Amino acid sequence: MSFEIVDRDLMARIGRFETKSGVVETPLLLPVINPNIQTVLPKTLEEKFGCRALITNAYIIQKNFKEAAAEKGLHDFLNFNGSIMTDSGAYQLLIYKGVETSPEEIVHFQETIDTDIATILDIPTGWGVPKEYARHTVNETIKRAKALKKMKTRDDIAWVGPVQGGQHLDLVAKSAKEMAKLPFQIHALGSPTPVMEQYKFDTLVDMIVTAKMNLPASRPFHLFGAGHPFMFALAVALGCDLFDSAAYALFAREDRYLTESGTTKLSELEYFPCSCPVCNKTDPENVRSLPKEDRQKMLAEHNLHVSFCELRRIKQAITEGRLWEHLEMRAHGHPSLLQAVKKLGKYSEYLEKQSSVTKRSGIFFFSSLGLARPEVIRYRKRLLDRYSPPPKAKILLLLPQTRTKPFHNSKEHETVMKEIQQILGDTVDLVHVCTYAAPFGVIPTELDDVYPLSQNEIASPFDAETVMYVAKQAANHIENTNYDRVILLRDPKVWMGKIAAACRRACKKKQVPFTTLRKRDPWAKNTIEHLVAVIREAVMSP
Ligand SMILES: [Zn+2]
């Protein structure tokens, strides 16, 4: 059993996890096989979908097929060669209360049926429970996790240590810290299903990040019950490596059709917005006319195709370093997902620490949501911690961003630089040119071709949060450096006076003279002439 991380983006990882039945690639979707109702057979999953792993419920098997499963072993019993994960009945415990098994019995049963990945019988916290009860579920789950060492007899099975605590984040943190100390191969977030059913994805963000912050990054992380493809991007971006989906079958049973951005009723579809093998062959009207069982099977197969397809898209986005863009696109599938992505702002510094430094592609900024991106946070931190202006620089000249990047190659900046060079000659080094630009803030000219400062595209006009962010960065830059004077070339149509106001306040605080030009067009000939005159005066005056 080993877990090797081969690629990463945001908190997402592409990894290889080895079980005794083979190697699987993460992020991995494990379709749920209910031994009572097999909507899609495990053999079909293997042959038609190339599925290398599934999850089933050891408790249901123990209750209904104990002898057969024990005698044949789980792989023969289900007729599946890939890796099999078993859940312990904790979910049944949450829904139906009392479960007719014991922690010890279910550990032994999972070993007997030769599962690959096994789960202890944890106590799910559930949703909206009093804190005292939540604390009890955490403590009891930890107690059972510690007892596993004495119960288990095999070392070739990967054991899952579930984290409980529900929406009580202090308890989630405590639970994760204790689980982290124990020799589990996988961790899982317990009982998020009610949270997901109520679309409380922003709460889910809190729960996942809190758990992940307190668990070893070297172990895969499973999100129980996250089976809808429209939230895979969010969960993967937060570092979830494994998912189980019962949704493909449950939704099919209710004549519901999954898409990567939501759910549609079969009765409302005129066309199938999909070209999977199922949808290619037929149309909604035809499927509606089928007997229930056939209809269910077709919908379940489509639901699986769309789920696996979304996961492949996510993996491709990880390898391209474009998971954020993908996540933002998915966030607009539902307001509660957008709310969850907005919540990432709260964890942007943590996200930055987890995210890889090298990226292969340019970045797209659509809105102020992108201000939480690791690249933006990283630039802000590095400018503050590692940057000092050139030693001779006395005057900070702030120029607006141009369409051309790097900015110093733009016709506009080149014209300004030529004029300044002409009048200042050898003393040109006294003037330090920086660009203020969305979304990064102040960019010193000598850095403006460093990735990703030139390798990005942003939609204009900028939204109010983005404008305020850049204004704040301009003020921060002035406050964190020691120029003798600041000169700002305004672009009021773009920045609506916000940059000037922020710079003025920062200069006042630092007691540094501040000059700005009240012109509408920053690049007009007379504006530049005026600017050059201001600079000359500033250099001449002691
Ligand atoms: Zn389809």
Side-chain angles (χ1 to χ4, degrees):
M1 280 167 292
S2 66
F3 181 53
E4 182 202 355
I5 295 167
V6 293
D7 211 342
R8 48 201 307 154
D9 191 18
L10 305 177
M11 285 161 72
R13 313 85 82 77
I14 291 181
R16 293 209 177 94
F17 186 67
E18 193 189 352
T19 77
K20 66 181 166 55
S21 293
V23 176
V24 288
E25 193 179 78
T26 64
L28 176 70
L29 177 67
L30 305 132
V32 173
I33 291 296
N34 180 338
N36 289 320
I37 323 157
Q38 299 191 7
T39 317
V40 180
L41 294 173
K43 195 87 234 146
T44 310
L45 285 176
E46 201 165 346
E47 285 169 357
K48 255 198 194 169
F49 293 84
C51 190
R52 300 297 308 137
L54 58 78
I55 181 167
T56 189
N57 190 301
Y59 171 66
I60 294 177
I61 294 178
Q62 187 189 251
K63 209 172 149 194
N64 301 311
F65 311 97
K66 194 173 178 180
E67 278 76 34
E71 194 184 304
K72 286 185 172 177
L74 193 52
H75 293 82
D76 269 4
F77 174 71
L78 291 177
N79 195 15
F80 185 75
N81 292 317
S83 301
I84 301 180
M85 175 170 174
T86 38
D87 194 0
S88 57
Y91 182 71
Q92 282 65 31
L93 190 67
L94 181 67
I95 302 299
Y96 310 112
K97 308 300 171 196
V99 161
E100 300 150 25
T101 186
S102 71
E104 195 154 10
E105 196 183 354
I106 204 74
V107 165
H108 287 154
F109 185 66
Q110 289 178 94
E111 287 191 337
T112 305
I113 58 178
D114 194 29
T115 189
D116 297 301
I117 303 169
T119 314
I120 62 163
L121 186 66
D122 53 328
I123 312 275
T125 306
W127 175 256
V129 298
K131 188 142 188 193
E132 264 324 296
Y133 178 74
R135 198 188 310 278
H136 158 74
T137 64
V138 166
N139 291 339
E140 186 60 26
T141 300
I142 293 168
K143 208 170 100 191
R144 292 178 180 191
K146 285 181 178 163
L148 176 67
K149 198 168 66 178
K150 287 197 198 112
M151 295 180 200
K152 70 175 183 139
T153 59
R154 293 176 60 168
D155 286 325
D156 57 348
I157 291 172
W159 281 92
V160 181
V163 171
Q164 294 298 347
Q167 75 264 51
H168 304 284
L169 299 181
D170 54 333
L171 294 180
V172 172
K174 178 192 165 185
S175 177
K177 272 188 198 129
E178 291 300 318
M179 286 291 168
K181 291 180 200 159
L182 300 170
F184 286 103
Q185 285 77 36
I186 297 177
H187 289 289
L189 185 66
S191 60
T193 314
V195 182
M196 287 185 279
E197 278 170 357
Q198 297 171 53
Y199 279 29
K200 292 183 187 297
F201 296 117
D202 54 342
T203 304
L204 189 65
V205 169
D206 282 331
M207 289 164 69
I208 296 174
V209 177
T210 305
K212 292 279 305 184
M213 279 172 152
N214 293 290
L215 288 170
S218 56
R219 298 177 186 170
F221 187 76
H222 182 102
L223 186 61
F224 273 117
H228 197 306
F230 86 143
M231 60 155 305
F232 289 171
L234 176 68
V236 173
L238 294 172
C240 300
D241 306 293
L242 307 167
F243 307 88
D244 53 286
S245 172
Y248 77 95
L250 296 176
F251 281 69
R253 223 166 286 165
E254 295 165 3
D255 280 328
R256 287 194 285 171
Y257 181 94
L258 301 185
T259 73
E260 57 280 352
S261 55
T263 313
T264 317
K265 287 185 189 144
L266 179 63
S267 59
E268 288 169 358
L269 281 172
E270 285 286 328
Y271 306 94
F272 281 141
C274 173
S275 50
C276 79
V278 176
C279 300
N280 262 347
K281 271 190 292 205
T282 181
D283 59 54
E285 204 187 327
N286 194 12
V287 175
R288 279 194 288 269
S289 69
L290 295 173
K292 183 157 173 74
E293 204 174 310
D294 296 349
R295 208 167 66 225
Q296 252 185 44
K297 198 165 159 279
M298 287 187 97
L299 285 176
E301 289 198 2
H302 154 80
N303 289 347
L304 274 174
H305 278 297
V306 77
S307 302
F308 285 124
C309 182
E310 173 63 2
L311 215 50
R312 284 196 294 272
R313 252 187 231 116
I314 291 168
K315 287 201 245 180
Q316 179 63 21
I318 295 172
T319 62
E320 288 176 3
R322 305 188 70 85
L323 184 57
W324 184 281
E325 279 87 345
H326 185 75
L327 178 61
E328 261 196 61
M329 190 169 65
R330 287 290 174 258
H332 288 85
H334 196 281
S336 57
L337 276 176
L338 182 59
Q339 203 168 312
V341 174
K342 285 185 177 177
K343 192 67 167 276
L344 289 182
K346 183 176 154 192
Y347 302 107
S348 57
E349 304 236 338
Y350 178 70
L351 201 62
E352 187 273 321
K353 281 200 197 93
Q354 302 296 312
S355 205
S356 73
V357 178
T358 46
K359 285 286 171 67
R360 280 141 288 191
S361 53
I363 300 172
F364 291 163
F365 289 97
F366 301 100
S367 71
S368 56
L369 263 190
L371 295 174
R373 290 186 70 136
E375 294 85 354
V376 176
I377 308 297
R378 188 168 298 149
Y379 177 70
R380 184 175 75 212
K381 280 167 65 178
R382 293 206 171 160
L383 198 67
L384 180 64
D385 298 342
R386 301 189 189 174
Y387 179 79
S388 3
K392 286 184 189 163
K394 298 283 176 220
I395 299 167
L396 169 64
L397 173 58
L398 285 167
L399 297 181
Q401 73 186 83
T402 55
R403 198 171 268 275
T404 307
K405 288 193 211 77
F407 304 120
H408 76 265
N409 282 347
S410 69
K411 213 183 255 165
E412 297 92 330
H413 285 212
E414 275 180 353
T415 309
V416 171
M417 284 315 296
K418 215 171 95 193
E419 298 282 333
I420 299 174
Q421 179 80 49
Q422 233 164 38
I423 55 145
L424 295 185
D426 291 347
T427 57
V428 75
D429 293 347
L430 292 174
V431 179
H432 185 216
V433 178
C434 294
T435 308
Y436 57 97
F440 290 100
V442 172
I443 301 174
T445 288
E446 69 272 24
L447 298 182
D448 75 359
D449 52 5
V450 172
Y451 181 87
L453 302 172
S454 280
Q455 296 76 9
N456 66 84
E457 297 287 338
I458 183 161
S460 65
F462 312 135
D463 57 25
E465 286 93 339
T466 304
V467 168
M468 290 317 291
Y469 178 82
V470 175
K472 186 157 187 275
Q473 299 320 304
N476 285 352
H477 186 69
I478 292 168
E479 285 177 29
N480 298 327
T481 49
N482 288 306
Y483 299 101
D484 292 345
R485 178 182 280 272
V486 176
I487 300 171
L488 171 75
L489 181 59
R490 304 196 328 160
D491 192 352
K493 271 186 287 187
V494 176
W495 301 98
M496 294 157 296
K498 302 293 184 201
I499 305 287
C503 290
R504 182 172 291 115
R505 273 197 303 274
C507 286
K508 202 171 164 194
K509 206 163 151 191
K510 288 280 281 191
Q511 297 187 311
V512 171
F514 173 67
T515 314
T516 182
L517 278 69
R518 299 196 169 278
K519 295 276 167 63
R520 289 290 299 160
D521 177 3
W523 311 116
K525 196 159 178 270
N526 64 351
T527 313
I528 293 178
E529 280 167 12
H530 188 178
L531 176 70
V532 171
V534 167
I535 293 169
R536 179 163 53 190
E537 204 186 300
V539 173
M540 298 298 182
S541 67

